Coordinates of all heavy atoms in Angstrom, one line a residue:
M1 N 86.9 -58.1 5.3 CA 86.8 -58.1 6.7 C 86.9 -59.6 7.2 O 86.4 -60.5 6.6 CB 85.5 -57.5 7.2 CG 85.4 -56.1 6.9 SD 83.9 -55.2 7.4 CE 82.9 -56.3 8.3
R2 N 87.5 -59.7 8.3 CA 87.7 -61.0 8.9 C 86.4 -61.5 9.6 O 85.7 -60.7 10.2 CB 88.8 -61.0 9.9 CG 90.2 -60.9 9.2 CD 91.3 -60.7 10.2 NE 91.3 -61.7 11.3 CZ 92.0 -61.6 12.3 NH1 93.0 -60.7 12.4 NH2 91.9 -62.5 13.3
P3 N 86.0 -62.7 9.4 CA 84.7 -63.2 10.0 C 84.9 -63.3 11.5 O 86.0 -63.6 12.0 CB 84.5 -64.5 9.3 CG 85.8 -64.9 8.9 CD 86.6 -63.7 8.6
D4 N 83.8 -63.1 12.2 CA 83.6 -63.4 13.7 C 84.5 -62.5 14.6 O 84.7 -62.9 15.7 CB 84.0 -64.9 14.0 CG 83.1 -65.8 13.2 OD1 81.9 -65.5 12.9 OD2 83.5 -66.9 12.8
I5 N 84.9 -61.4 14.1 CA 85.7 -60.5 15.1 C 84.9 -59.1 15.3 O 85.3 -58.4 16.1 CB 87.1 -60.2 14.6 CG1 87.1 -59.4 13.3 CG2 87.9 -61.5 14.5 CD1 88.4 -58.8 12.9
H6 N 83.9 -58.9 14.4 CA 83.2 -57.6 14.5 C 81.9 -57.8 15.3 O 81.2 -58.8 15.2 CB 82.9 -57.1 13.1 CG 84.1 -56.9 12.3 ND1 85.0 -55.8 12.5 CD2 84.7 -57.6 11.3 CE1 86.0 -55.9 11.6 NE2 85.8 -57.0 10.9
P7 N 81.5 -56.7 16.1 CA 80.3 -56.8 16.9 C 79.1 -56.7 15.9 O 79.2 -56.2 14.8 CB 80.4 -55.6 17.8 CG 81.3 -54.6 17.1 CD 82.2 -55.5 16.3
Q8 N 78.0 -57.2 16.4 CA 76.7 -57.1 15.6 C 76.3 -55.7 15.5 O 76.2 -55.0 16.5 CB 75.6 -58.0 16.3 CG 75.9 -59.5 16.2 CD 75.9 -60.0 14.8 OE1 75.1 -59.6 14.0 NE2 76.9 -60.9 14.5
Y9 N 75.9 -55.3 14.3 CA 75.4 -53.9 14.1 C 73.9 -54.0 13.8 O 73.4 -54.4 12.8 CB 76.1 -53.4 12.8 CG 76.0 -51.9 12.6 CD1 76.4 -51.0 13.5 CD2 75.4 -51.4 11.4 CE1 76.3 -49.6 13.3 CE2 75.3 -50.1 11.2 CZ 75.7 -49.2 12.1 OH 75.6 -47.8 11.9
V10 N 73.1 -53.7 14.9 CA 71.7 -54.0 14.8 C 70.9 -52.7 15.0 O 71.4 -51.6 15.3 CB 71.3 -54.9 16.0 CG1 71.9 -56.3 15.8 CG2 71.6 -54.3 17.3
T11 N 69.6 -52.7 14.6 CA 68.7 -51.6 14.8 C 68.5 -51.3 16.3 O 68.3 -52.2 17.1 CB 67.3 -52.0 14.2 OG1 67.5 -52.3 12.8 CG2 66.4 -50.8 14.3
T12 N 68.6 -50.1 16.6 CA 68.6 -49.6 18.1 C 67.6 -48.5 18.3 O 67.6 -47.6 17.5 CB 70.0 -49.2 18.5 OG1 71.0 -50.2 18.2 CG2 70.1 -48.8 20.0
E13 N 66.9 -48.6 19.3 CA 65.9 -47.6 19.7 C 66.6 -46.6 20.7 O 67.1 -47.0 21.7 CB 64.7 -48.2 20.4 CG 63.6 -47.2 20.8 CD 62.9 -46.7 19.6 OE1 62.9 -47.3 18.5 OE2 62.3 -45.6 19.7
V14 N 66.6 -45.3 20.4 CA 67.2 -44.3 21.3 C 66.2 -43.5 22.0 O 65.3 -43.0 21.3 CB 68.2 -43.3 20.5 CG1 68.8 -42.3 21.4 CG2 69.2 -44.1 19.7
N15 N 66.2 -43.5 23.3 CA 65.2 -42.8 24.1 C 65.8 -41.7 24.8 O 66.8 -41.9 25.5 CB 64.5 -43.7 25.1 CG 63.8 -44.9 24.4 OD1 63.1 -44.6 23.4 ND2 63.9 -46.1 24.9
C16 N 65.3 -40.5 24.7 CA 65.8 -39.3 25.4 C 65.0 -39.0 26.7 O 63.9 -39.5 26.8 CB 65.8 -38.1 24.5 SG 66.4 -36.6 25.2
S17 N 65.6 -38.3 27.6 CA 64.9 -38.0 28.9 C 63.8 -37.1 28.6 O 62.9 -37.0 29.5 CB 65.9 -37.4 29.9 OG 66.5 -36.2 29.4
C18 N 63.7 -36.3 27.5 CA 62.6 -35.4 27.2 C 61.4 -36.2 26.6 O 60.3 -35.6 26.5 CB 63.1 -34.3 26.2 SG 63.4 -34.9 24.5
G19 N 61.6 -37.4 26.3 CA 60.5 -38.3 25.8 C 60.6 -38.5 24.3 O 59.9 -39.4 23.8
N20 N 61.5 -37.9 23.6 CA 61.7 -38.1 22.2 C 62.4 -39.5 22.0 O 63.2 -39.9 22.8 CB 62.6 -37.0 21.6 CG 62.8 -37.1 20.1 OD1 61.9 -37.5 19.4 ND2 63.9 -36.7 19.6
S21 N 62.0 -40.1 20.9 CA 62.7 -41.4 20.6 C 62.8 -41.6 19.1 O 62.0 -41.0 18.4 CB 61.9 -42.6 21.2 OG 60.6 -42.7 20.6
F22 N 63.9 -42.2 18.7 CA 64.1 -42.5 17.3 C 64.9 -43.7 17.1 O 65.4 -44.3 18.0 CB 64.8 -41.3 16.6 CG 66.1 -40.9 17.3 CD1 67.3 -41.4 16.8 CD2 66.1 -40.0 18.3 CE1 68.5 -41.1 17.4 CE2 67.3 -39.6 18.9 CZ 68.5 -40.2 18.5
T23 N 64.9 -44.2 15.9 CA 65.6 -45.5 15.6 C 66.8 -45.2 14.8 O 66.8 -44.4 13.9 CB 64.6 -46.4 14.8 OG1 63.4 -46.6 15.6 CG2 65.2 -47.8 14.6
T24 N 67.9 -45.9 15.1 CA 69.1 -45.9 14.4 C 69.8 -47.2 14.4 O 69.2 -48.2 14.9 CB 70.1 -44.8 15.0 OG1 71.2 -44.6 14.2 CG2 70.5 -45.2 16.4
R25 N 71.0 -47.3 14.0 CA 71.7 -48.6 14.1 C 72.9 -48.4 15.0 O 73.6 -47.4 15.0 CB 72.1 -49.0 12.7 CG 70.9 -49.4 11.9 CD 71.3 -49.9 10.5 NE 72.3 -50.9 10.4 CZ 72.0 -52.3 10.3 NH1 70.8 -52.6 10.2 NH2 72.9 -53.1 10.3
S26 N 73.3 -49.4 15.7 CA 74.3 -49.4 16.7 C 74.8 -50.7 17.1 O 74.2 -51.7 16.7 CB 73.8 -48.6 18.0 OG 74.8 -48.7 19.0
T27 N 75.9 -50.8 17.8 CA 76.5 -52.0 18.3 C 76.0 -52.3 19.8 O 76.6 -53.1 20.4 CB 78.0 -52.0 18.3 OG1 78.5 -51.0 19.0 CG2 78.4 -52.0 16.8
A28 N 75.0 -51.5 20.3 CA 74.5 -51.7 21.6 C 74.0 -53.1 21.8 O 73.2 -53.6 20.9 CB 73.5 -50.7 22.0
A29 N 74.4 -53.7 22.9 CA 74.1 -55.1 23.0 C 72.6 -55.4 23.2 O 72.0 -56.4 22.6 CB 74.8 -55.7 24.3
N30 N 71.8 -54.6 23.9 CA 70.4 -54.8 24.1 C 69.5 -54.1 23.1 O 68.3 -54.3 23.2 CB 70.0 -54.4 25.5 CG 70.3 -53.0 25.8 OD1 70.8 -52.3 25.0 ND2 69.9 -52.6 27.0
G31 N 70.1 -53.3 22.2 CA 69.2 -52.7 21.2 C 68.5 -51.4 21.7 O 67.7 -50.9 21.0
V32 N 68.9 -50.9 22.9 CA 68.3 -49.7 23.4 C 69.3 -48.8 24.0 O 70.3 -49.2 24.7 CB 67.3 -50.0 24.5 CG1 66.7 -48.8 25.1 CG2 66.2 -51.0 24.0
I33 N 69.3 -47.5 23.7 CA 70.2 -46.5 24.2 C 69.3 -45.4 24.9 O 68.4 -44.9 24.3 CB 71.0 -45.9 23.1 CG1 72.0 -46.9 22.5 CG2 71.9 -44.7 23.7 CD1 72.8 -46.4 21.3
H34 N 69.7 -45.0 26.1 CA 69.0 -43.9 26.8 C 70.0 -42.7 26.8 O 71.1 -42.8 27.3 CB 68.7 -44.3 28.3 CG 67.8 -45.5 28.4 ND1 66.5 -45.4 28.1 CD2 68.0 -46.8 28.6 CE1 65.9 -46.5 28.3 NE2 66.8 -47.4 28.6
A35 N 69.5 -41.6 26.3 CA 70.3 -40.4 26.2 C 69.7 -39.3 27.1 O 68.5 -39.2 27.3 CB 70.3 -39.9 24.7
E36 N 70.6 -38.4 27.6 CA 70.1 -37.3 28.4 C 69.5 -36.2 27.6 O 68.6 -35.5 28.0 CB 71.2 -36.8 29.3 CG 71.7 -37.8 30.3 CD 72.8 -37.2 31.2 OE1 73.1 -36.0 31.1 OE2 73.4 -38.0 31.9
T37 N 70.2 -35.8 26.5 CA 69.7 -34.8 25.6 C 69.8 -35.3 24.1 O 70.5 -36.1 23.8 CB 70.6 -33.5 25.7 OG1 72.0 -33.9 25.4 CG2 70.6 -32.9 27.1
C38 N 68.9 -34.6 23.3 CA 68.8 -35.0 21.9 C 68.7 -33.7 21.1 O 68.7 -32.6 21.7 CB 67.7 -35.9 21.6 SG 66.1 -35.2 21.9
N39 N 68.5 -33.7 19.9 CA 68.4 -32.5 19.1 C 67.1 -31.8 19.3 O 67.0 -30.6 19.0 CB 68.4 -32.9 17.6 CG 67.3 -33.8 17.1 OD1 66.8 -34.6 17.9 ND2 66.9 -33.6 15.9
V40 N 66.1 -32.4 20.0 CA 64.8 -31.7 20.3 C 64.9 -30.9 21.5 O 64.4 -29.8 21.7 CB 63.7 -32.8 20.4 CG1 62.4 -32.2 20.9 CG2 63.5 -33.5 19.1
C41 N 65.7 -31.4 22.5 CA 65.8 -30.7 23.8 C 67.1 -30.0 24.1 O 67.3 -29.3 25.1 CB 65.4 -31.6 24.9 SG 66.6 -33.0 25.1
H42 N 68.2 -30.2 23.3 CA 69.5 -29.6 23.5 C 69.4 -28.1 23.3 O 68.9 -27.6 22.3 CB 70.5 -30.2 22.6 CG 71.9 -29.9 23.1 ND1 72.5 -28.7 22.7 CD2 72.8 -30.6 23.8 CE1 73.7 -28.7 23.2 NE2 73.9 -29.9 23.9
P43 N 69.9 -27.3 24.2 CA 69.8 -25.8 24.1 C 70.5 -25.3 22.8 O 70.0 -24.3 22.3 CB 70.6 -25.3 25.3 CG 70.5 -26.4 26.3 CD 70.5 -27.6 25.5
F44 N 71.5 -25.9 22.3 CA 72.2 -25.4 21.1 C 71.2 -25.5 19.9 O 71.2 -24.6 19.1 CB 73.4 -26.2 20.8 CG 74.2 -25.7 19.6 CD1 75.0 -24.6 19.6 CD2 74.0 -26.4 18.4 CE1 75.6 -24.2 18.5 CE2 74.7 -26.0 17.2 CZ 75.5 -24.8 17.3
Y45 N 70.5 -26.5 19.8 CA 69.6 -26.7 18.7 C 68.2 -26.1 18.8 O 67.6 -25.8 17.8 CB 69.4 -28.2 18.4 CG 70.6 -29.0 18.1 CD1 71.2 -29.9 18.9 CD2 71.3 -28.7 16.9 CE1 72.3 -30.5 18.6 CE2 72.5 -29.4 16.6 CZ 73.0 -30.3 17.4 OH 74.2 -30.9 17.1
T46 N 67.8 -25.8 20.0 CA 66.5 -25.1 20.3 C 66.6 -23.6 20.3 O 65.6 -23.0 20.3 CB 65.9 -25.6 21.6 OG1 66.8 -25.3 22.7 CG2 65.7 -27.1 21.6
G47 N 67.8 -23.1 20.3 CA 68.0 -21.6 20.3 C 67.9 -21.0 21.7 O 67.8 -19.8 21.9
K48 N 67.9 -21.8 22.8 CA 67.7 -21.3 24.1 C 69.1 -21.3 24.8 O 69.2 -21.4 26.0 CB 66.7 -22.2 24.9 CG 65.3 -22.1 24.3 CD 64.4 -23.0 25.1 CE 63.0 -22.9 24.5 NZ 62.1 -23.8 25.1
Q49 N 70.2 -21.3 24.1 CA 71.5 -21.3 24.6 C 71.8 -20.0 25.3 O 71.5 -18.9 24.8 CB 72.5 -21.6 23.5 CG 73.9 -21.8 24.0 CD 74.9 -22.2 22.9 OE1 74.5 -22.1 21.7 NE2 76.0 -22.7 23.2
R50 N 72.5 -20.1 26.4 CA 72.9 -18.9 27.2 C 74.4 -18.7 27.1 O 75.1 -19.7 27.0 CB 72.5 -19.0 28.7 CG 71.0 -19.1 28.9 CD 70.7 -19.2 30.4 NE 71.4 -20.3 31.0 CZ 71.7 -20.4 32.3 NH1 71.3 -19.4 33.1 NH2 72.4 -21.4 32.7
V51 N 74.8 -17.5 27.1 CA 76.2 -17.2 27.1 C 76.6 -17.1 28.6 O 76.1 -16.3 29.3 CB 76.6 -15.9 26.3 CG1 78.0 -15.6 26.5 CG2 76.2 -16.0 24.9
L52 N 77.5 -18.0 29.0 CA 78.0 -17.9 30.3 C 79.1 -16.9 30.5 O 80.1 -17.0 29.9 CB 78.6 -19.3 30.8 CG 77.6 -20.4 30.8 CD1 78.3 -21.7 31.1 CD2 76.4 -20.2 31.7
D53 N 78.8 -15.8 31.2 CA 79.6 -14.7 31.3 C 80.1 -14.6 32.8 O 79.5 -14.1 33.7 CB 78.9 -13.4 31.0 CG 79.8 -12.2 31.0 OD1 81.0 -12.3 31.0 OD2 79.2 -11.1 31.1
T54 N 81.3 -15.1 33.0 CA 81.9 -15.1 34.3 C 82.5 -13.8 34.6 O 83.3 -13.3 33.8 CB 82.9 -16.2 34.5 OG1 83.7 -16.4 33.4 CG2 82.3 -17.5 34.9
A55 N 82.2 -13.2 35.7 CA 82.7 -11.9 36.1 C 82.4 -10.7 35.2 O 83.1 -9.7 35.2 CB 84.2 -12.0 36.4
G56 N 81.4 -10.9 34.3 CA 81.0 -9.8 33.5 C 82.0 -9.4 32.4 O 82.1 -8.2 32.0
R57 N 82.8 -10.3 31.9 CA 83.9 -10.0 30.9 C 83.3 -9.5 29.6 O 83.8 -8.6 29.0 CB 84.7 -11.3 30.7 CG 85.5 -11.6 31.9 CD 86.4 -12.8 31.7 NE 87.0 -13.3 32.9 CZ 87.4 -14.5 33.1 NH1 87.2 -15.4 32.2 NH2 87.9 -14.8 34.2
V58 N 82.2 -10.1 29.2 CA 81.6 -9.7 27.9 C 81.1 -8.3 28.0 O 81.3 -7.4 27.2 CB 80.5 -10.7 27.4 CG1 79.8 -10.1 26.2 CG2 81.1 -12.0 27.2
A59 N 80.4 -8.0 29.1 CA 79.8 -6.7 29.3 C 81.0 -5.6 29.5 O 80.9 -4.5 28.9 CB 79.0 -6.6 30.6
K60 N 82.0 -5.9 30.2 CA 83.2 -5.0 30.3 C 83.8 -4.7 28.9 O 84.1 -3.6 28.6 CB 84.2 -5.6 31.2 CG 83.8 -5.6 32.7 CD 84.9 -6.2 33.5 CE 84.5 -6.4 35.0 NZ 85.5 -7.1 35.8
F61 N 83.9 -5.8 28.1 CA 84.5 -5.6 26.8 C 83.6 -4.7 25.9 O 84.1 -3.8 25.3 CB 84.7 -7.0 26.1 CG 85.2 -6.9 24.7 CD1 86.5 -6.8 24.5 CD2 84.3 -6.9 23.6 CE1 87.0 -6.7 23.2 CE2 84.8 -6.9 22.3 CZ 86.1 -6.8 22.1
Q62 N 82.3 -4.9 26.0 CA 81.4 -4.1 25.2 C 81.4 -2.7 25.7 O 81.4 -1.7 24.8 CB 80.0 -4.7 25.2 CG 79.9 -6.0 24.5 CD 78.5 -6.7 24.7 OE1 77.8 -6.4 25.6 NE2 78.2 -7.6 23.8
Q63 N 81.4 -2.4 27.0 CA 81.5 -1.0 27.5 C 82.8 -0.3 27.1 O 82.8 0.8 26.7 CB 81.3 -1.1 29.0 CG 79.9 -1.4 29.5 CD 79.8 -1.5 31.0 OE1 80.8 -1.4 31.7 NE2 78.6 -1.7 31.5
K64 N 83.9 -1.0 27.2 CA 85.2 -0.5 26.9 C 85.2 0.0 25.5 O 85.7 1.1 25.2 CB 86.3 -1.5 27.2 CG 87.7 -1.1 26.9 CD 88.7 -2.2 27.1 CE 90.1 -1.8 26.8 NZ 91.0 -2.9 27.0
Y65 N 84.8 -0.8 24.5 CA 84.9 -0.5 23.1 C 83.8 0.4 22.6 O 83.9 1.0 21.6 CB 85.1 -1.8 22.3 CG 86.5 -2.3 22.5 CD1 86.8 -3.3 23.3 CD2 87.6 -1.6 21.8 CE1 88.1 -3.8 23.5 CE2 88.9 -2.1 22.0 CZ 89.1 -3.1 22.9 OH 90.4 -3.5 23.1
A66 N 82.7 0.4 23.4 CA 81.6 1.4 23.1 C 82.1 2.8 23.4 O 81.9 3.7 22.6 CB 80.3 1.1 23.8
K67 N 82.8 3.0 24.5 CA 83.4 4.3 24.8 C 84.5 4.7 23.8 O 84.5 5.8 23.4 CB 84.0 4.3 26.2 CG 82.9 4.1 27.3 CD 83.6 4.1 28.7 CE 82.6 3.9 29.8 NZ 83.3 3.7 31.1
A68 N 85.3 3.7 23.4 CA 86.4 4.0 22.5 C 85.8 4.4 21.1 O 86.4 5.3 20.5 CB 87.3 2.8 22.4
G69 N 84.8 3.8 20.7 CA 84.2 4.1 19.4 C 83.5 5.5 19.4 O 83.6 6.2 18.4
K70 N 83.0 5.9 20.5 CA 82.4 7.3 20.6 C 83.4 8.4 20.7 O 83.3 9.4 20.1 CB 81.5 7.4 21.9 CG 80.2 6.6 21.8 CD 79.4 6.7 23.1 CE 78.2 5.8 23.0 NZ 77.4 5.8 24.2
Q71 N 84.6 8.1 21.4 CA 85.6 9.1 21.5 C 86.4 9.3 20.2 O 86.9 10.3 19.9 CB 86.6 8.6 22.5 CG 86.1 8.7 23.9 CD 87.1 8.2 25.0 OE1 88.1 7.6 24.6 NE2 86.7 8.2 26.2
A72 N 86.4 8.2 19.4 CA 87.1 8.3 18.1 C 86.3 8.9 17.0 O 86.6 8.9 15.8 CB 87.6 6.9 17.6
G73 N 85.1 9.4 17.3 CA 84.2 10.0 16.3 C 83.5 9.0 15.5 O 83.2 9.3 14.3
G74 N 83.2 7.9 16.1 CA 82.5 6.8 15.4 C 83.4 5.9 14.6 O 82.9 5.0 13.9
K75 N 84.7 6.2 14.5 CA 85.6 5.3 13.8 C 85.9 4.1 14.7 O 85.9 4.1 15.9 CB 86.9 6.0 13.5 CG 86.8 7.2 12.6 CD 88.1 7.9 12.4 CE 87.9 9.1 11.5 NZ 89.2 9.8 11.4
T76 N 86.0 2.9 14.0 CA 86.2 1.7 14.7 C 87.7 1.5 15.1 O 88.0 0.9 16.1 CB 85.8 0.5 13.9 OG1 86.5 0.5 12.6 CG2 84.3 0.6 13.6
A77 N 88.6 2.1 14.3 CA 90.0 1.9 14.7 C 90.6 3.2 15.1 O 90.4 4.2 14.5 CB 90.8 1.4 13.4
A78 N 91.3 3.2 16.3 CA 91.9 4.4 16.8 C 93.4 4.5 16.4 O 94.0 3.4 16.3 CB 91.8 4.4 18.3
K79 N 93.9 5.7 16.3 CA 95.3 5.8 15.9 C 96.1 5.6 17.1 O 95.8 5.9 18.3 CB 95.6 7.2 15.4 CG 94.9 7.6 14.1 CD 95.3 8.9 13.6 CE 94.6 9.3 12.3 NZ 94.9 10.6 11.9
R80 N 97.3 5.0 16.9 CA 98.2 4.7 18.0 C 99.4 5.6 18.0 O 100.0 5.9 17.0 CB 98.6 3.2 18.0 CG 97.4 2.4 18.4 CD 97.8 1.0 18.4 NE 96.6 0.2 18.8 CZ 96.7 -1.0 19.3 NH1 97.8 -1.6 19.6 NH2 95.6 -1.6 19.5

């Protein structure tokens, strides 16, 4: 590596809006990073994630294929 062209890689404190904080390494100039979400409060990691269903598409799909499954005698594939 060439000298004097790379940024300093220093210990950095990361603070989340939920109050969680942890230490990592970064090139942040002041050694502090403020994050909106982290692994403690993010819905994907906490299991509180919602499925966004615009216009009821998921429900329509489930109803359509629930009826098709009952009409076919419980078979999942219908003859064409």
Side-chain angles (χ1 to χ4, degrees):
M1 292 182 9
R2 291 175 42 190
D4 302 327
I5 65 166
H6 300 284
Q8 293 294 320
Y9 193 61
V10 296
T11 303
T12 305
E13 182 73 22
V14 180
N15 297 316
C16 181
S17 60
C18 71
N20 185 34
S21 63
F22 55 93
T23 304
T24 187
R25 292 182 51 99
S26 173
T27 58
N30 60 357
V32 178
I33 296 176
H34 297 285
E36 292 180 13
T37 58
C38 65
N39 64 328
V40 174
C41 61
H42 193 278
F44 181 79
Y45 298 113
T46 60
K48 297 179 182 176
Q49 185 176 15
R50 297 182 304 159
V51 175
L52 296 177
D53 183 17
T54 38
R57 293 180 187 154
V58 174
K60 287 179 187 178
F61 178 84
Q62 290 174 341
Q63 288 176 355
K64 178 180 177 181
Y65 287 100
K67 290 178 184 177
K70 289 178 184 177
Q71 290 176 355
K75 296 179 182 177
T76 56
K79 292 182 182 178
R80 291 184 181 201

